[in-house]
Amino acid sequence: MKREDVKKQIPNITDEQLDWLMGENGRDITAEKTKATNLQIQVNGLTTQLNTAKDSLKAFEGVDVADLKGQITKLQGQLDDQADSFAFDSALDGAIRDAHGRDVKAIRGMLDVDALKASKDRTTDIKAALDALTKEKAWAFDAAPGGYPNVRDGGDPNKTPTGSTREQFAEWFNEVMK
């Protein structure tokens, strides 16, 4: 707005009124310019964000989300299977050591590990399998600490061997061969 245009439209306006009117108009224009500048800054920022998002999305073009979900599910299943396998192996090896097995790997080879792994009550079935193996192949298990014969077979753990070495060996051999 120009001063001459205002004087043409309002012929009786005083200079004082015209100054006030021009000042108010200037303040309004400055306020609107500030708003427009702020909005332009905001538009520029949003445009930059949009372009960044578009560039990021280009990396995912051609990616099959359903396939990725399937892969994640498959990997989670493998992870669960692996955790279950570790838990089973730990339980079985611990049970063999508790039964005083001489060689964990060898004793595992004598057991039906797949059947034990598939068992619903692993702890009970592992114990039963080891008890049966202890009776069937006692040589694979050490005598209980403190002496022989094997405590699991009803022997006395506090029994001190007596007699000559030959007699002790014969007694042990007879126990093992039962």
Side-chain angles (χ1 to χ4, degrees):
M1 177 164 57
K2 296 181 181 176
R3 292 174 84 81
E4 300 83 35
D5 294 336
V6 174
K7 282 190 177 189
K8 284 181 189 175
Q9 291 295 321
I10 308 173
N12 295 340
I13 193 166
T14 65
D15 284 339
E16 193 174 279
Q17 291 172 333
L18 185 58
D19 289 342
W20 177 84
L21 183 60
M22 293 304 285
E24 286 297 314
N25 185 43
R27 281 187 284 283
D28 288 345
I29 290 174
T30 302
E32 292 303 316
K33 281 184 179 179
T34 303
K35 286 180 188 177
T37 301
N38 289 339
L39 287 174
Q40 187 60 48
I41 290 170
Q42 188 177 6
V43 166
N44 291 343
L46 291 173
T47 302
T48 302
Q49 287 179 0
L50 178 62
N51 290 336
T52 302
K54 284 180 181 178
D55 291 342
S56 296
L57 287 175
K58 284 181 185 178
F60 292 104
E61 285 181 11
V63 172
D64 184 5
V65 175
D67 181 50
L68 288 177
K69 286 182 180 179
Q71 289 179 14
I72 289 171
T73 302
K74 179 182 171 186
L75 290 172
Q76 285 174 334
Q78 289 174 349
L79 201 64
D80 290 343
D81 291 346
Q82 190 177 28
D84 182 56
S85 181
F86 285 143
F88 171 77
D89 288 341
S90 177
L92 181 59
D93 292 351
I96 292 170
R97 281 190 296 277
D98 291 346
H100 305 287
R102 290 182 182 207
D103 186 347
V104 172
K105 287 182 183 180
I107 293 173
R108 283 179 71 105
M110 294 179 222
L111 296 170
D112 186 358
V113 176
D114 292 333
L116 292 173
K117 190 178 265 191
S119 170
K120 298 292 182 198
D121 186 7
R122 288 181 178 170
T123 306
T124 303
D125 292 342
I126 288 172
K127 183 177 180 341
L130 285 174
D131 286 345
L133 192 61
T134 301
K135 291 176 183 163
E136 182 181 328
K137 299 190 177 167
W139 55 266
F141 297 87
D142 284 330
Y148 64 87
N150 197 321
V151 175
R152 286 181 299 282
D153 296 332
D156 181 7
N158 297 319
K159 180 180 178 186
T160 303
T162 58
S164 69
T165 305
R166 181 182 198 145
E167 290 169 340
Q168 291 175 24
F169 179 77
E171 185 181 344
W172 170 81
F173 183 77
N174 290 333
E175 286 291 322
V176 170
M177 297 310 289
K178 283 185 181 179

